[in-house]
Amino acid sequence: MCVQVVFPKLYDFQQTEIILQMNICKQFLVDLGFRNALLGKELASDAGHLLENIIFIELKRRNNQVWIGKTNNLEVDFVVRNNEGFTQYIQVSQTVQNATTLERELAPFESIADHHEKFLITMDFDTGTYNGIKKVNAIDWLTKTEK
């Protein structure tokens, strides 16, 4: 079963508000087995998309509000707000071992002026920070128990 998630709102960092944006749509699979049945089991070509799918499903499982962010024509994968009103920005990438990929994934964060937490979630085992942006391993993030 494929669930099409229409994001009717876009978080616009220039206006620092949520605005209506009807043309943003992403599709996430509830069961990745359907993806395998349709496209085969070759995961290497789209492992980053699969990881983004998994992170989205987990964000929703944790009962968060989720939007796509847009700043200076760059996309932030997820703008997340929990039930307590706490906001986080999340970029997801399979790996950022390549300097070009790292730069591309960090670029949207650079133009966000507020001080909400920013995460770069990857399958890389090394962690760290880049100008306050926390790089975390996806497995560690997924298995982290909530407070």
Side-chain angles (χ1 to χ4, degrees):
M1 170 191 281
C2 180
V3 174
Q4 182 171 340
V5 179
V6 177
F7 292 89
K9 296 180 180 179
L10 173 77
Y11 195 90
D12 183 348
F13 296 99
Q14 304 303 317
Q15 303 293 325
T16 62
E17 63 186 28
I18 298 170
I19 60 173
L20 292 179
Q21 183 78 18
M22 298 309 291
N23 61 350
I24 294 181
C25 176
K26 285 191 175 186
Q27 294 182 349
F28 296 94
L29 293 173
V30 174
D31 182 343
L32 294 177
F34 289 110
R35 180 246 175 240
N36 293 345
L38 293 170
L39 303 175
K41 294 184 179 180
E42 178 58 42
L43 301 177
S45 63
D46 66 347
H49 293 109
L50 293 174
L51 181 59
E52 186 175 342
N53 191 103
I54 291 166
I55 298 299
F56 173 78
I57 297 296
E58 180 61 15
L59 287 168
K60 295 306 287 178
R61 188 197 69 78
R62 293 180 184 180
N63 202 28
N64 293 301
Q65 295 178 20
V66 182
W67 297 276
I68 298 171
K70 187 160 178 88
T71 179
N72 295 335
N73 293 324
L74 299 171
E75 180 184 297
V76 176
D77 290 333
F78 303 116
V79 177
V80 181
R81 186 171 297 144
N82 69 14
N83 289 331
E84 298 164 357
F86 182 73
T87 301
Q88 297 177 329
Y89 307 118
I90 297 176
Q91 285 287 92
V92 180
S93 181
Q94 178 186 6
T95 182
V96 291
Q97 295 297 315
N98 179 301
T100 304
T101 305
L102 177 62
E103 184 178 320
R104 181 188 71 228
E105 295 297 329
L106 294 177
F109 290 141
E110 299 299 327
S111 60
I112 301 173
D114 65 33
H115 297 289
H116 295 300
E117 275 189 306
K118 299 172 180 90
F119 288 96
L120 174 57
I121 300 176
T122 74
M123 289 302 293
D124 300 334
F125 289 106
D126 61 315
T127 60
T129 59
Y130 303 92
N131 294 327
I133 301 162
K134 298 174 187 173
K135 179 183 173 191
V136 296
N137 175 268
I139 296 168
D140 293 340
W141 184 87
L142 288 164
T143 58
K144 180 180 95 173
T145 56
E146 297 179 40
K147 297 175 185 173

